[in-house]
């Protein structure tokens, strides 16, 4: 470690970019750069090379995969990666600082990743690209279905939000019943929760959408049945999350509220439940991510064209047009909704774990 | 049921408390009168805290009766929530509501239980925060306060209800040593103003100086009941002697 970087311990040491650079050598930086450049060549250069020729229609895409530009870019990435790995791994132990060692290793690892990706794509582009592209990457064939696709996203999001909203409201009520000291109050809530947690969601959807109209001689619109089933199911899981959250609040909070003359319900409402809700936000958001995916099960009800959710849309497409690109786009649709949500869950969790409980209000 | 407490502020009659197979209180009879500062000491596990929490029925006695101002609290027809507004309690673990500011911790029960309008509640809360020297921390959340400050807010929260009796359950036991004094000073001031108090504590100095009645408990029974200075000077019970020789 250089003398300049040694601090007296009185001030928080600066561990920014300039500090990292002071700990590096030109050699370690070069290895890091070589690995990063090789990987970037494959990850960014290959799609750019394809774009130069064109993604649609399929014969253009096939030509792009076979083009010299595409292969050339991959070869550059491949050899760069080999060089980065061969230099980075043997040399890292000879580095004098932790930072420079890590830079050599990171360069080596990125080199390996560049090798894996580019060799796979080289092998792939030498094979029967046409069948693959026709089935998975025929985006031109999907162009006429984009409006129904957007409608399907809308339906998926609507079903998920409806299920989550009514699920949370009903779930909170169930949770408060489930922690009652009176067995006669607990029992109905437990029975409900156990039935909905103990039977498959698909069974619940079919039973409400098909079974109930048969036996009760009532009309339940398909879409409504789907929303009801998702709400009732979510309520059972949300109830368990709330129950765990409420029971995780220290007993002293309830005692303090009761000691001030509040009734049990007042103590729950003003002291315990508000804290429990903060604590259950991350698990509830997780349940929401699961619910978004579970909405796909409503496809068993046979939805009409305007009612189709993402999964039904993809299933309809692949079945009627014999083109699996529908399934690829379906997955992209789900990821477009779930990935941002997963990021939010992680951010909220981190904030709740680190911060003062009250200040996050 | 109006005269059975015999005019005492608090009367406990034949109190037994079982936790499962554990016999925690073994026949407690106790009268507490207005203006008394009753300090309860004794080895851990002797039932001190349970005794304290029986007084406002946070613990329901398995047997026996509790009177507060001649009202039998063990009578199911009694509105305990109303009685508890007259009995303030402060806990070892502070138990402030972490999602509310110091101010809102105090006004919550004033508004929701005593049904004061928010102006009056705010005035009362500020008055009590000033009293415990924390008016400048009104908008702070419990997590932003030291342990001693949190405990003083908890005392202010209980006092804002204008109780006739204050219960203190080992309120300095969870505090760092340098923070104990500020809380004890607040309690001493309260005692000097004539508040009736029951204080479970390990602070022998406080027991001697501030208390005007001392109870010594062992194994769920009160074995000594008298003036603190006399008990400290001449403990009659062997167990009191042994305990005092350990802690003094």
């Amino acid at each position: 470690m250089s003398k300049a970087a040694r601090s007296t311990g009185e001030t928080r040491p600066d561990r920014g970019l300039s500090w990292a650079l002071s700990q590096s050598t030109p050699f370690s930086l070069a290895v890091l750069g070589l690995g990063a450049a090789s990987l970037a060549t494959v990850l960014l250069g290959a799609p750019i090379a394809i774009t130069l020729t064109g993604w649609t229609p399929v014969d253009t895409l096939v030509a792009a995969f076979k083009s010299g530009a595409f292969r050339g870019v991959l070869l550059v990435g491949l050899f760069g990666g080999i060089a980065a790995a061969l230099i980075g791994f043997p040399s890292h132990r000879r580095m004098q600082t932790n930072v420079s060692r890590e830079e050599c290793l990171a360069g080596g690892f990125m080199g390996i990743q560049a090798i894996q990706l580019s060799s796979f794509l080289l092998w792939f582009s030498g094979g029967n690209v046409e069948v693959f592209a026709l089935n998975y990457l025929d985006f031109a064939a999907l162009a006429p279905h984009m409006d129904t696709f957007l409608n399907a996203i809308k339906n998926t999001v609507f079903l998920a939000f409806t299920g989550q909203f009514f699920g949370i409201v009903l779930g909170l009520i169930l949770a408060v019943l489930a922690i009652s000291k009176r067995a006669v109050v607990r029992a109905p809530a437990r029975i409900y929760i156990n039935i909905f947690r103990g039977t498959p969601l698909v069974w619940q959807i079919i039973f409400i959408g098909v079974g109930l109209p048969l036996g009760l001689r009532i009309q339940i619109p398909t879409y409504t049945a789907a929303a009801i089933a998702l709400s009732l199911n979510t309520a059972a899981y949300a109830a368990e999350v709330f129950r765990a959250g409420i029971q995780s609040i220290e007993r002293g909070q309830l005692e303090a509220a009761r000691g001030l003359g509040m009734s049990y319900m007042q103590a729950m409402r003003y002291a315990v439940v508000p804290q429990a809700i903060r604590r259950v936000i991350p698990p509830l958001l997780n349940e929401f991510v699961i619910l978004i995916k579970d909405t796909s099960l409503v496809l068993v009800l046979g939805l009409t064209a305007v009612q189709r959710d993402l999964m039904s849309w993809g299933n309809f497409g692949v079945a009627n047009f014999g083109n699996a690109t529908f399934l690829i786009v379906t997955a992209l649709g789900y990821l477009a909704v779930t990935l941002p949500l997963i990021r939010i869950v992680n951010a909220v969790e981190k904030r709740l774990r680190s911060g003062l409980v009250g200040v996050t209000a | 049921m109006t005269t059975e407490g015999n005019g005492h502020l608090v009367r406990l009659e034949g109190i037994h408390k079982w936790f499962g197979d554990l016999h925690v209180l073994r026949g407690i009879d106790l009268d507490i009168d207005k203006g008394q500062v009753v300090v309860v000491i004794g080895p851990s596990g002797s039932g001190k805290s349970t005794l304290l929490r029986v007084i406002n029925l946070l613990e329901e006695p398995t047997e026996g009766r509790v009177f507060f101002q001649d009202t039998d609290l063990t009578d199911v027809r009694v509105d305990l929530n109303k009685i508890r507004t007259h009995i303030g309690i402060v806990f070892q673990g502070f138990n402030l509501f972490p999602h509310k500011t110091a101010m809102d911790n105090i006004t919550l029960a004033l508004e929701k239980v005593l049904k004061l309008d928010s102006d009056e509640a705010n005035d009362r809360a500020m008055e009590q925060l000033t009293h415990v020297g924390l008016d400048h921390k009104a908008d702070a959340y419990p997590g932003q306060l030291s342990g001693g400050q949190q405990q003083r807010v908890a005392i202010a929260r209980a006092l804002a209800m204008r109780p006739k009796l204050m219960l203190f359950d080992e309120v300095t036991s969870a505090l760092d040593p340098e923070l104990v004094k500020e809380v004890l000073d607040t309690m001493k001031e309260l005692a000097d103003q004539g508040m009736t108090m029951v204080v479970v504590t390990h602070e022998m100095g406080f027991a001697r100086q501030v208390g005007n009645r001392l109870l010594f408990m062992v194994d769920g029974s009160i074995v000594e009941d008298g003036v603190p200075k006399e008990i400290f000077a001449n403990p009659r019970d062997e167990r009191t002697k042994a305990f005092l020789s350990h802690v003094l």
Side-chain angles (χ1 to χ4, degrees), chain A residues 82-137:
Chain A
I82 290 172
L86 285 181
I87 302 169
F89 288 112
S91 64
H92 86 275
R93 285 203 173 279
R94 287 201 293 275
M95 295 295 111
Q96 302 297 312
T97 67
N98 219 346
V99 170
S100 54
R101 284 186 173 200
E102 287 301 321
E103 282 167 353
C104 285
L105 280 178
F109 280 121
M110 284 193 281
I112 286 190
Q113 288 159 359
I115 295 168
Q116 290 171 329
L117 278 171
S118 59
S119 52
F120 170 77
L121 286 172
L122 279 169
W123 166 79
F124 171 79
S125 67
N128 192 345
V129 180
E130 193 167 1
V131 174
F132 183 91
L134 269 175
N135 270 291
Y136 300 121
L137 300 172

Side-chain angles (χ1 to χ4, degrees), chain A residues 250-264 266 269-272 274-275 278 356-359 361, chain B residues 53 56 58-59 81 84-85 87 89 91 95-100 105 108-109 112-113 115 141 143-144 157-158 161:
Chain A
E250 305 68 48
R251 204 183 146 62
Q253 293 290 312
L254 182 65
E255 289 182 342
R258 297 305 306 272
L260 287 163
M262 286 188 223
S263 67
Y264 177 79
Q266 280 181 319
R269 181 171 159 201
Y270 298 117
V272 177
Q275 295 180 58
R278 276 185 188 80
L356 297 159
V357 182
V359 182
Chain B
R53 295 147 72 90
N56 70 350
L58 270 187
E59 295 292 356
N81 297 328
R84 287 196 184 117
T85 63
I87 307 176
I89 182 162
F91 303 89
N95 297 352
L96 291 177
F97 307 128
H99 60 299
K100 294 191 175 294
N105 260 279
L108 180 63
K112 303 302 176 190
V113 180
K115 310 286 183 198
Y141 286 91
Q144 297 167 315
R157 178 172 72 175
M161 304 293 284

Side-chain angles (χ1 to χ4, degrees), chain A residues 36-57:
Chain A
S38 309
L39 188 56
T41 306
V42 181
L43 286 178
L44 301 173
I48 291 172
I50 290 179
T51 309
L52 288 179
T53 317
W55 289 83
T56 55

Side-chain angles (χ1 to χ4, degrees), chain B residues 1 13 19 32 38 52 56 64 104 133 153 160 197 203 207 223 228 247:
Chain B
M1 69 184 186
E13 272 182 16
F19 288 121
I32 296 170
V38 184
L52 190 85
N56 70 350
D104 292 342
V153 172
M197 297 161 59
E203 298 290 332
V223 298
V247 297

Side-chain angles (χ1 to χ4, degrees), chain A residues 20-256:
Chain A
L21 285 174
S22 77
Q23 300 284 298
S24 310
T25 62
F27 177 81
S28 66
L29 284 172
V31 176
L32 179 71
L34 182 59
S38 309
L39 188 56
T41 306
V42 181
L43 286 178
L44 301 173
I48 291 172
I50 290 179
T51 309
L52 288 179
T53 317
W55 289 83
T56 55
V58 168
D59 22 329
T60 312
L61 184 61
V62 173
F65 273 115
K66 305 274 185 193
S67 71
F70 181 69
R71 296 218 173 147
V73 163
L74 291 179
L75 282 173
V76 170
L78 178 63
F79 288 118
I82 290 172
L86 285 181
I87 302 169
F89 288 112
S91 64
H92 86 275
R93 285 203 173 279
R94 287 201 293 275
M95 295 295 111
Q96 302 297 312
T97 67
N98 219 346
V99 170
S100 54
R101 284 186 173 200
E102 287 301 321
E103 282 167 353
C104 285
L105 280 178
F109 280 121
M110 284 193 281
I112 286 190
Q113 288 159 359
I115 295 168
Q116 290 171 329
L117 278 171
S118 59
S119 52
F120 170 77
L121 286 172
L122 279 169
W123 166 79
F124 171 79
S125 67
N128 192 345
V129 180
E130 193 167 1
V131 174
F132 183 91
L134 269 175
N135 270 291
Y136 300 121
L137 300 172
D138 188 1
F139 299 108
L142 263 61
H145 303 283
M146 273 307 106
D147 51 339
T148 56
F149 173 72
L150 292 176
N151 189 52
I153 287 192
K154 195 200 79 188
N155 281 331
T156 288
V157 170
F158 178 81
L159 281 172
F161 269 108
T162 310
Q164 186 75 358
F165 176 78
F166 290 108
I168 281 180
V169 173
L170 184 56
L172 186 54
I173 297 171
L174 282 169
V176 171
L177 297 181
I179 57 168
S180 167
K181 63 178 180 184
R182 298 186 180 87
V184 287
V185 178
R186 280 199 312 268
R190 291 290 352 152
I191 290 168
Y192 177 98
I193 292 169
N194 288 338
I195 286 177
F196 277 89
R197 292 210 312 164
T199 53
L201 176 54
V202 141
W203 178 88
Q204 294 159 22
I205 291 171
I206 296 180
F207 190 79
I208 292 171
V210 183
L212 286 186
L214 274 179
L216 299 179
R217 306 272 163 100
I218 50 169
Q219 294 277 325
I220 305 179
T222 317
Y223 200 68
T224 311
I228 291 174
L230 290 169
S231 301
L232 297 183
N233 181 270
T234 304
Y237 285 95
E240 288 294 82
V241 170
F242 278 125
R243 184 185 58 77
I246 289 171
Q247 288 178 338
S248 78
I249 303 298
E250 305 68 48
R251 204 183 146 62
Q253 293 290 312
L254 182 65
E255 289 182 342

